[in-house]
Amino acid sequence: MEEGERESENGRCSAPSQTSDPQTTPETSSQNRETDGDDIETKLDISSDKFDPLLALYSPQVPLPYPSIKCFNNIAEYESFMKGGRGRAKPENVEKRLRKAQKGKADPERIERLKKLMVNNPVEEGEGSGVKRPPPQRKAAKNVLTRMPLHTGSPLGQLNRCVQEEIRVKVHIRTFKGLRGVCSGFVVAFDKFWNLAMVDVDETYREPLLGQALYHEKALTVIRLFEKLKVQETVALSATERKSDLHSSSSHLRDQTRRTDPKHTQERSEPSEKDETTLKVTQKSETKPKVEYGRVHTRHVNQLFIRGENVLLVNMQQD
Amino acid sequence: MTSLSSETKRGARNQDVNMDVSHSIRERTIAENSLVILLQGLHGQVTTVDLRDESTARGRIINVDAFMNIRLEKVLYRDRRGRVSSMDDLFITGRNVRYVHIPDHMNIIETIETQLAKIHRVRNFGASGGRKEYSKKKIFL
């Protein structure tokens, strides 16, 4: 063994020079000269019995059986590779990787199938992924303001004309039974329920009668409404006159009551009587508040919203 | 889930929660296509509501829904006989409304347009890139 080692050492020394150097030991020198060429090859041959690893490590030309083999840094690396960890090029993994690379591109057959199912969309040639397209904004805004001009040809269309041309209208307002009053003003906005948004509104209305009068009253009409208003105004005027002259003739008063009487018989008789009594009381210069039912009132509202349910009719004020 | 959190963010941003648009799609469309939207623009204003039965309620509008149901606070209620009473909270059914007085300083068309813009914003917020309540597109496989 020692001899062999010494031989190999000598062989090593001689191998780089590639000359048959005279060796120190007489035994080895003859051997070396003889087996130099063959020896080196066999020693460098991995599969041979005489493989010399030390020689192989330091020789410049080592014949490698598999030159393009995967190299590892240590045995542990080799071990884990053999066990089949991540990245190991197993046949299944290779396939997976190829499939993933292909994922972005849609299957052409699938595209065609989907295109056929699409409605209202022209099938265009040469589109890559025809499934996702930005939704075309074909729906115009439909809201209460855009709906206002849509009613042409219908009564609401006429109402729209009043809005556009700023025609003053009179809106009849209803009580559960019959007419309540009249709103005169300009319509700014409306909707299909006849809800109205009005400006500059003068409202003339009558308070509802209570109790028995409800059944007995004659239906209120616009004419009656305004007549009553006029009458009220004159009564009020005369009342103020009466207040200014502390004592006025009773005959004058009686005339007043007689004039108002026929109007009041339309409603229940009580208020007229009350009127008489109150008037008589005012004779004594005691101002008792008149409790007259079914008074007509006027008021002005700058901006008013009317729920459509309460609208009886709308007519335009011709001027 | 993302649209939910965004909605809460939006709610937190608005100082007055009542100004927020109704969460129901049905109520939104009803309001959008009728003049109720004008009343919804009156959130927070002090106005008078005349009722069908000739009584009046004057107070601050808290909320109006698509059916014109009105919630008022700090109300001076005058009943049809003329008796006045004061209430902290009043709820009026939509059908019982006859008039709503609109404050003089409010421009009607502008109020309507502001409210419509709010609805538009809410609708687009949820619809684009978020969870849709009703998907208009068919679902392909």
Side-chain angles (χ1 to χ4, degrees):
Chain A
M1 289 290 277
E2 291 178 0
E3 280 177 338
E5 282 177 347
R6 236 179 275 131
E7 266 181 45
S8 63
E9 274 183 30
N10 292 334
R12 187 188 9 114
C13 292
S14 65
S17 54
Q18 284 185 356
T19 53
S20 50
D21 295 330
Q23 298 298 319
T24 49
T25 52
E27 292 176 350
T28 55
S29 61
S30 57
Q31 272 188 340
N32 281 339
R33 264 182 236 131
E34 283 176 7
T35 60
D36 224 357
D38 297 330
D39 233 12
I40 292 169
E41 278 186 41
T42 50
K43 278 177 187 172
L44 290 178
D45 188 13
I46 291 172
S47 47
S48 74
D49 295 336
K50 291 187 180 174
F51 177 64
D52 182 12
L54 203 54
L55 179 67
L57 279 171
Y58 282 96
S59 76
Q61 287 170 355
V62 179
L64 295 173
Y66 304 102
S68 56
I69 206 169
K70 188 172 172 69
C71 292
F72 299 101
N73 292 324
N74 50 54
I75 289 179
E77 204 177 311
Y78 170 70
E79 197 183 351
S80 62
F81 178 81
M82 287 309 288
K83 278 187 183 167
R86 220 155 53 106
R88 154 109 193 199
K90 282 190 274 190
E92 320 84 271
N93 286 347
V94 171
E95 271 179 43
K96 233 190 204 176
R97 218 177 288 134
L98 283 170
R99 249 184 289 136
K100 270 193 178 173
Q102 298 281 317
K103 211 176 189 182
K105 304 173 212 163
D107 185 26
E109 190 203 305
R110 185 167 173 265
I111 293 174
E112 285 305 309
R113 216 184 330 127
L114 291 168
K115 272 188 193 169
K116 280 180 208 160
L117 289 170
M118 279 198 283
V119 186
N120 291 337
N121 269 325
V123 178
E124 289 172 27
E125 299 278 288
E127 269 196 28
S129 50
V131 185
K132 274 190 179 177
R133 212 177 286 159
Q137 287 173 335
R138 24 197 168 111
K139 274 195 174 175
K142 259 199 154 186
N143 56 51
V144 60
L145 294 174
T146 59
R147 280 179 198 267
M148 275 167 56
L150 292 180
H151 298 284
T152 48
S154 97
L156 284 172
Q158 284 296 306
L159 188 57
N160 187 39
R161 194 169 71 89
C162 295
V163 174
Q164 302 296 328
E165 296 174 17
E166 295 186 8
I167 303 173
R168 199 174 181 92
V169 296
K170 282 197 254 188
V171 181
H172 293 220
I173 304 292
R174 62 177 285 253
T175 170
F176 72 96
K177 157 190 174 183
L179 178 74
R180 178 175 181 267
V182 178
C183 288
S184 170
F186 297 98
V187 181
V188 174
F190 66 91
D191 66 5
K192 62 177 177 178
F193 304 110
W194 288 80
N195 295 330
L196 304 171
M198 295 179 68
V199 295
D200 190 20
V201 182
D202 290 312
E203 193 189 5
T204 313
Y205 62 98
R206 194 186 73 170
E207 285 165 7
L209 299 176
L210 307 163
Q212 282 294 308
L214 222 45
Y215 299 106
H216 298 313
E217 73 159 325
K218 255 183 163 182
L220 182 70
T221 66
V222 184
I223 297 170
R224 287 209 192 100
L225 178 72
F226 282 100
E227 267 186 28
K228 183 141 202 299
L229 179 66
K230 254 185 269 171
V231 165
Q232 259 178 223
E233 280 170 355
T234 53
V235 170
L237 271 171
S238 53
T240 50
E241 280 172 22
R242 258 177 274 131
K243 281 179 193 168
S244 56
D245 332 322
L246 283 166
H247 302 286
S248 49
S249 55
S250 49
S251 57
H252 175 66
L253 286 165
R254 260 176 261 126
D255 285 343
Q256 289 280 335
T257 53
R258 247 179 270 132
R259 243 183 285 141
T260 52
D261 259 344
K263 302 280 183 196
H264 281 292
T265 48
Q266 285 176 16
E267 304 149 22
R268 52 179 175 169
S269 48
E270 272 187 55
S272 59
E273 284 172 9
K274 270 197 175 167
D275 270 356
E276 282 185 312
T277 53
T278 51
L279 280 167
K280 282 178 192 162
V281 167
T282 53
Q283 260 185 313
K284 297 174 187 174
S285 72
E286 273 182 41
T287 50
K288 223 184 192 178
K290 252 193 201 177
V291 190
E292 193 188 296
Y293 298 102
R295 282 191 67 91
V296 177
H297 296 273
T298 6
R299 63 176 174 175
H300 178 81
V301 186
N302 280 329
Q303 297 192 117
L304 190 70
F305 170 88
I306 305 176
R307 189 178 156 96
E309 196 187 349
N310 302 290
V311 172
L312 256 181
L313 63 90
V314 178
N315 67 16
M316 294 183 270
Q317 210 156 332
Q318 253 91 51
D319 266 305
Chain B
M1 294 298 266
T2 48
S3 66
L4 263 171
S5 59
S6 332
E7 270 179 11
T8 49
K9 269 189 224 162
R10 188 166 39 81
R13 241 185 284 138
N14 289 334
Q15 284 168 356
D16 190 354
V17 185
N18 296 320
M19 295 287 271
D20 222 344
V21 181
S22 160
H23 289 275
S24 152
I25 248 192
R26 192 161 158 260
E27 283 200 30
R28 275 206 299 266
T29 42
I30 294 175
E32 188 191 15
N33 291 316
S34 79
L35 272 191
V36 157
I37 200 165
L38 168 62
L39 299 184
Q40 288 184 341
L42 296 180
H43 283 355
Q45 304 289 327
V46 176
T47 50
T48 310
V49 180
D50 290 12
L51 272 65
R52 222 169 32 162
D53 65 352
E54 312 283 334
S55 53
T56 61
R58 181 166 180 81
R60 188 178 302 273
I61 295 182
I62 302 180
N63 190 41
V64 179
D65 71 1
F67 310 101
M68 223 184 279
N69 299 329
I70 305 178
R71 193 176 286 281
L72 299 164
E73 71 171 354
K74 299 207 197 87
V75 178
L76 217 75
Y77 178 77
R78 177 177 282 114
D79 85 349
R80 60 204 203 105
R81 292 185 186 271
R83 287 180 304 208
V84 183
S85 58
S86 154
M87 300 172 195
D88 285 336
D89 226 296
L90 181 63
F91 178 87
I92 303 171
T93 314
R95 285 214 65 205
N96 285 310
V97 171
R98 181 182 274 139
Y99 301 134
V100 177
H101 296 238
I102 298 178
D104 292 347
H105 61 85
M106 302 211 78
N107 182 319
I108 291 176
I109 300 290
E110 273 177 25
T111 314
I112 296 176
E113 284 177 349
T114 329
Q115 285 299 114
L116 287 172
K118 279 190 203 166
I119 290 184
H120 198 66
R121 207 189 313 148
V122 168
R123 192 191 302 134
N124 286 348
F125 188 89
S128 53
R131 179 173 55 112
K132 273 190 268 191
E133 291 186 49
Y134 304 115
S135 172
K136 287 179 188 160
K137 291 189 201 153
K138 284 187 191 169
I139 298 172
F140 300 122
L141 278 174

